[in-house]
């Protein structure tokens, strides 16, 4: 299967971090007995185009589009973030961030201001934020923000928009936030977390649905056993992970329930 590709764009927060992911994936795929080509796919190229490729071997994909069936893929394994809020599970959340010098003390203090989101198929940048805001909506207050800046596309764009004052608050993938804070702390020095969403299953490495079953099994086993390998420590610290857990498409069904709840309340977009 040398024609298949691998990629870690979603959590390649800096070029050195992407190089670390690439090296780790080479280790894991070698343990699985397969050879995939690492293909760079930098932002702002649309991730949905990458996910639709028929030659996916091992690529990060958000769970919400997995649940939405935006591409014919099979989830393999998800990282276990090295964070107290993960509690040893393959989960993440959205950090709702504001400028450090902003006067806001609660999320409700930001209502009436400007918020932003990334893309409609993002869980951390759209679906989780929308679900979190449901609790604050009432018949007398159906709209929470005076302005919503849509389609910022990436977590980095959310971070920059908050830092530069173009939005007052925005949702940031908490695992991505951990990585960027460790590897480029200058970017996060001017922001703080005002509130957080509930956790959900973190994005997983997926493979094309046409990948042979023996290869899928070998990859799942290699991911599951990675943390026991003598070389894993070289990657755990830089990538802030404690290992990988097997996941299936069903693990992302909760994202569809959050979507259903929002739409049933007439809340198609965070607002």
């Amino acid at each position: 299967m040398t024609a298949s590709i691998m990629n870690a764009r979603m959590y390649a927060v800096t070029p050195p971090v992407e190089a670390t992911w690439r090296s780790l994936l080479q280790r894991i795929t070698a343990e699985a007995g397969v050879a995939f080509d690492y293909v760079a796919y930098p932002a702002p190229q649309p991730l949905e185009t990458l996910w639709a490729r028929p030659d996916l071997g091992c690529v990060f994909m958000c769970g919400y589009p997995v649940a939405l069936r935006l591409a014919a893929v099979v989830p393999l394994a998800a990282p276990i973030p090295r964070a107290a809020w993960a509690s040893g599970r393959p989960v993440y959340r959205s950090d709702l961030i504001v400028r450090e010098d902003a006067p806001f003390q609660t999320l409700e203090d930001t209502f009436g201001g400007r918020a932003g989101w990334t893309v409609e198929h993002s869980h951390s940048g759209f679906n989780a934020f929308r679900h979190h805001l449901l609790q604050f909506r009432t018949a007398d207050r159906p709209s929470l923000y005076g302005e919503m800046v849509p389609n910022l596309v990436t977590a980095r764009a959310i971070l920059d928009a908050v830092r530069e004052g173009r939005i007052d608050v925005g949702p940031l993938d908490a695992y991505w936030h951990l990585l960027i804070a460790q590897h480029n702390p200058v970017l996060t020095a001017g922001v703080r977390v005002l509130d957080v969403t509930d956790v959900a299953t973190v994005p997983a490495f997926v493979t094309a649905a046409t990948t042979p079953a023996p290869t899928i099994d070998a990859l799942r086993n290699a991911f599951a056993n990675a943390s026991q390998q003598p070389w894993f420590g070289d990657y755990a610290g830089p990538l802030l992970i404690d290992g990988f857990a097997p996941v299936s498409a069903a693990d992302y069904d909760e994202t569809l329930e959050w979507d259903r709840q929002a739409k049933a309340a007439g809340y198609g977009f965070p607002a």
Side-chain angles (χ1 to χ4, degrees), residues 83-235:
W85 44 257
S87 300
R89 300 168 295 163
V91 300
Y92 74 146
R93 67 187 188 190
S94 294
D95 290 341
L96 307 182
I97 61 167
V98 297
R99 282 173 59 106
E100 187 132 47
D101 58 3
F104 315 122
Q105 298 301 310
T106 68
L107 185 61
E108 289 178 277
D109 292 337
T110 69
F111 295 167
R114 287 172 297 173
W117 49 266
T118 55
V119 289
E120 290 182 49
H121 61 64
S122 170
H123 180 71
S124 63
F126 178 89
N127 192 44
F129 186 32
R130 178 181 56 174
H131 177 263
H132 189 74
L133 291 175
L134 276 176
Q135 63 189 295
F136 299 103
R137 293 179 74 241
T138 65
D140 295 331
R141 188 175 62 182
S143 296
L144 302 177
Y145 289 98
E147 181 181 353
M148 184 62 69
V149 180
N151 298 312
L152 290 173
V153 181
T154 65
R156 174 61 189 272
I158 290 284
L159 178 58
D160 289 346
V162 169
R163 291 175 62 242
E164 295 163 9
R166 289 183 282 116
I167 60 175
D168 297 311
V169 61
L172 196 62
D173 178 321
Y175 176 47
W176 191 96
H177 193 182
L178 285 176
L179 286 171
I180 199 67
Q182 172 162 291
H183 293 281
N184 196 346
V186 171
L187 293 180
T188 58
V191 303
R192 58 187 168 91
V193 178
L194 185 64
D195 201 353
V196 298
T197 69
D198 292 337
V199 298
T201 306
V202 73
F205 282 106
V206 304
T207 191
T210 54
T211 301
T215 300
I216 292 174
D217 291 341
L219 286 167
R220 284 177 169 160
N221 289 334
F223 273 108
N225 296 328
S227 64
Q228 306 305 313
Q229 302 298 331
W231 41 258
F232 184 75
D234 295 337
Y235 303 98

Side-chain angles (χ1 to χ4, degrees), residues 5-22 25 37-51 53 56 58-62 118-119 121-122 151-157 173 175-177 179-180 203-206 239:
I5 67 165
M6 54 188 181
N7 177 272
R9 145 85 178 271
M10 287 192 67
Y11 292 115
V13 299
T14 66
V17 172
E18 180 159 29
T20 303
W21 279 117
R22 177 175 183 167
L25 289 175
D37 296 323
Y38 192 93
V39 173
Y41 192 80
Q45 297 179 83
L47 282 168
E48 55 269 32
T49 301
L50 173 66
W51 299 332
R53 288 181 58 150
L56 289 192
C58 187
V59 172
F60 259 132
M61 184 171 177
C62 179
T118 55
V119 289
H121 61 64
S122 170
N151 298 312
L152 290 173
V153 181
T154 65
R156 174 61 189 272
D173 178 321
Y175 176 47
W176 191 96
H177 193 182
L179 286 171
I180 199 67
F205 282 106
V206 304
L239 298 179

